[in-house]
Amino acid sequence: MRIAVLVSGSGSNLQAIIDAAAADPTFPAEIALVLSDRPGVRGLERAEAAGIPTQVVAWSDHADRLAFTEAVCDAVEASDAEGLVLAGFMRILSAEAVHRFPNRILNIHPSLLPAFAGGHAIPDALAYGAKLSGVTIHFVDEQVDHGPIIAQQAVPVADDDTEATLHARIQAVEHELYPRAVADFAAGRLVVDGRHVRIQEPL
Ligand code: GAR
């Protein structure tokens, strides 16, 4: 399956997917496009270094969220990608994206959803005094950080954790979990039934 990976920043999850695909000739996803909502980010550099086409759809060039979402979806369709992988993409797409790509948009979030949804999951978990955080990979639905859960893994919070140390441990888990989930998705192994996602093993 051809996929588009959407980034806003460092792109370390993008890199994990690039590396997983390079290491395994049977990896079922091919990255057709890396799209960013802003220019000059490391994620775009990583894509260019790997020879993957890139495109910037700047938030500021669009009148509203719907216009931005339509431009993103148009770019993805033009790349012939059938799935979208959000990897640190820090813009909320309008419901239009879910209508155009139902159960075909994956997101990664640095907490055990539904705890600590939103754009500040790691500082929020630290401020709350949580002992356990983690990683969630889910399909995107019409609500933010809400869709059916594909994979989750817990990450303990240490007493002396800072945002940086907790994020580093969370990212180490993300880099293992996301390429596996993308492979399951691209191979057609994910079966969605309402909120429930199961992984169907090949016969
Ligand atoms: C990741 O840790 C991801 O979980 C988080 O942004 C980081 C991006 O890192 N996403 C969110 O907070 C979404 N609300 P990366 O650019 O190095 O892949």
Side-chain angles (χ1 to χ4, degrees):
M1 181 193 287
R2 285 166 69 82
I3 58 167
V5 181
L6 276 56
V7 300
S8 295
S10 125
S12 69
N13 281 286
L14 163 68
Q15 189 69 57
I17 297 164
I18 292 171
D19 293 347
D24 176 4
T26 68
F27 195 80
E30 180 195 346
I31 305 176
L33 175 69
V34 171
L35 184 149
S36 171
D37 62 307
R38 59 200 81 179
V41 297
R42 178 91 181 91
L44 290 170
E45 291 170 11
R46 292 181 194 269
E48 281 156 18
I52 299 166
T54 62
Q55 189 166 342
V56 175
V57 177
W59 175 259
S60 51
D61 287 349
H62 298 87
D64 54 24
R65 189 178 305 283
L66 180 59
F68 173 75
T69 299
E70 282 173 341
V72 168
C73 291
D74 289 348
V76 170
E77 267 176 18
S79 76
D80 271 337
E82 294 174 75
L84 281 72
V85 172
L86 311 188
F89 187 65
M90 300 311 270
R91 296 286 180 192
I92 295 167
L93 296 170
S94 73
E96 170 74 7
V98 180
H99 299 153
R100 282 172 69 169
F101 296 95
N103 286 342
R104 288 186 166 271
I105 310 176
L106 276 64
N107 185 41
I108 190 161
H109 185 78
S111 75
L112 293 176
L113 289 172
F116 309 117
H120 309 99
I122 292 171
D124 288 352
L126 287 171
Y128 200 82
K131 301 291 190 198
L132 209 53
S133 185
V135 176
T136 302
I137 296 165
H138 65 96
F139 282 112
V140 172
D141 69 3
E142 294 184 8
Q143 295 174 53
V144 175
D145 295 336
H146 174 270
I149 292 172
I150 298 166
Q152 278 187 313
Q153 192 167 317
V155 174
V157 180
D159 289 343
D160 60 353
D161 257 336
T162 62
E163 238 179 86
T165 58
L166 180 56
H167 198 186
R169 280 205 318 291
I170 283 176
Q171 287 226 294
V173 171
E174 290 185 335
H175 299 161
E176 293 293 317
L177 219 53
Y178 215 5
R180 284 214 300 272
V182 168
D184 286 334
F185 167 64
R189 287 193 288 265
L190 299 183
V191 180
V192 187
D193 177 12
R195 279 213 60 84
H196 301 272
V197 181
R198 65 191 164 75
I199 301 175
Q200 194 169 50
E201 295 304 332
L203 292 174

